Amino acid sequence: MARTYDDPCGLARALDLIGERWALLVVRELLLGPKRFSDLRRGLPGASQSMLTSRLADLEAAGVLRRRHLWPPVGTSVYELTDQGRDLEPALVRLAAWGSRSALTSSAELSVDALALALKTTFDAGAAAGLDLRCQLHLDGDGLLVTVHDGQLDVTRGRDDDADLAIETTAAGFRALIFAGTTLDDADATFHGDRDGIARVLGLFPRPTVGPTVGPTVGPTVGPTVGPNGGHARSRVDEPVDNSA
């Protein structure tokens, strides 16, 4: 990168490498594994092709990611995080948790990988006590496996046909289930497995409490109540909150 803070502080040196616009969102999109350029474009629709190309080159030069060629029959290239890049995950989770307490100012949808990060930032380990299960998520043709064990959460990309529970919907539909108060009965989704178990899984991710509103928010926001089926009930309009996590 051409610009530098010229500051010996470790934070400034980190920002010299990953502080440019879109850089950390590229890292977010790669936390669950390698992606093709077209996959990254789909997860980051607001980034132009030239911007994304430039940011990938910057991050590769910084040692955060690498480009790897897959041999036939795949015959394409993918981008993946290096060990140094993967070391950024705890910082991204903490930063995302911090950001989720600010007012929502975007009406855009979350990518599947952004949803995966949201699950990690909002997971309530106390509510998961005694819970041991695997929940398969089918979201917009993508697959995430959510594993809860011993109060710990693991989210990976992939498919497990032997998972205890399964939810099939869109990324927007799952976001509504988790953060917007949509009930299981009202959701545009297909559920497999015990509905009480599904409701409990969805309840492991409480919506963050938002601090004082700064700047505009997007539309009315809602506060959740508990529905009769164990999920979130239709929510009442209350005070500005962030339902994106």
Side-chain angles (χ1 to χ4, degrees):
M1 297 180 187
R3 295 185 295 179
T4 175
Y5 287 98
D6 191 24
D7 186 322
C9 168
L11 177 59
R13 287 150 59 193
L15 291 174
D16 283 342
L17 299 176
I18 59 172
E20 292 288 344
R21 191 175 184 221
W22 297 105
L24 287 181
L25 298 187
V26 169
V27 175
R28 178 198 73 191
E29 292 295 307
L30 294 175
L31 286 176
L32 297 183
K35 283 189 174 184
R36 298 170 299 179
F37 185 85
S38 59
D39 298 325
L40 289 168
R41 285 294 309 277
R42 186 162 50 249
L44 299 168
S48 68
Q49 181 171 330
S50 60
M51 172 63 78
L52 183 56
T53 299
S54 175
R55 205 55 68 238
L56 288 168
D58 291 340
L59 291 171
E60 186 173 12
V64 174
L65 59 79
R66 57 175 163 258
R67 186 178 183 183
R68 179 164 57 91
H69 184 73
L70 302 180
W71 297 104
V74 178
T76 189
S77 294
V78 296
Y79 295 89
E80 62 185 4
L81 295 178
T82 61
D83 289 342
Q84 184 178 3
R86 284 190 290 272
D87 284 345
L88 287 168
E89 182 172 4
L92 260 66
V93 171
R94 294 296 298 272
L95 187 59
W98 181 81
S100 69
R101 296 194 295 271
S102 64
L104 179 62
T105 58
S106 172
S107 59
E109 293 296 343
L110 294 177
S111 70
V112 172
D113 291 83
L115 275 171
L117 182 61
L119 295 182
K120 294 179 181 181
T121 62
T122 59
F123 177 66
D124 183 350
L131 195 60
D132 187 359
L133 57 77
R134 292 166 298 161
C135 181
Q136 179 70 57
L137 305 178
H138 300 284
L139 308 176
D140 294 327
D142 205 344
L144 298 181
L145 181 64
V146 176
T147 302
V148 180
H149 175 69
D150 196 24
Q152 301 293 316
L153 173 73
D154 186 38
V155 182
T156 57
R157 173 165 277 112
R159 176 170 179 165
D160 185 351
D161 292 332
D162 295 324
D164 305 290
L165 308 168
I167 302 173
E168 184 173 354
T169 184
T170 62
F174 186 69
R175 181 186 181 189
L177 275 167
I178 293 287
F179 299 122
T182 300
T183 66
L184 300 187
D185 290 335
D186 292 336
D188 184 12
T190 301
F191 304 103
H192 301 280
D194 178 64
R195 287 174 68 88
D196 288 340
I198 290 173
R200 185 175 179 189
V201 168
L202 296 176
L204 297 178
F205 309 98
R207 187 167 45 205
T209 300
V210 175
T213 300
V214 178
T217 57
V218 179
T221 50
V222 296
T225 56
V226 177
N229 62 358
H232 298 303
R234 287 292 189 188
S235 303
R236 59 187 176 83
V237 175
D238 195 350
E239 59 186 39
V241 296
D242 177 4
N243 62 6
S244 73

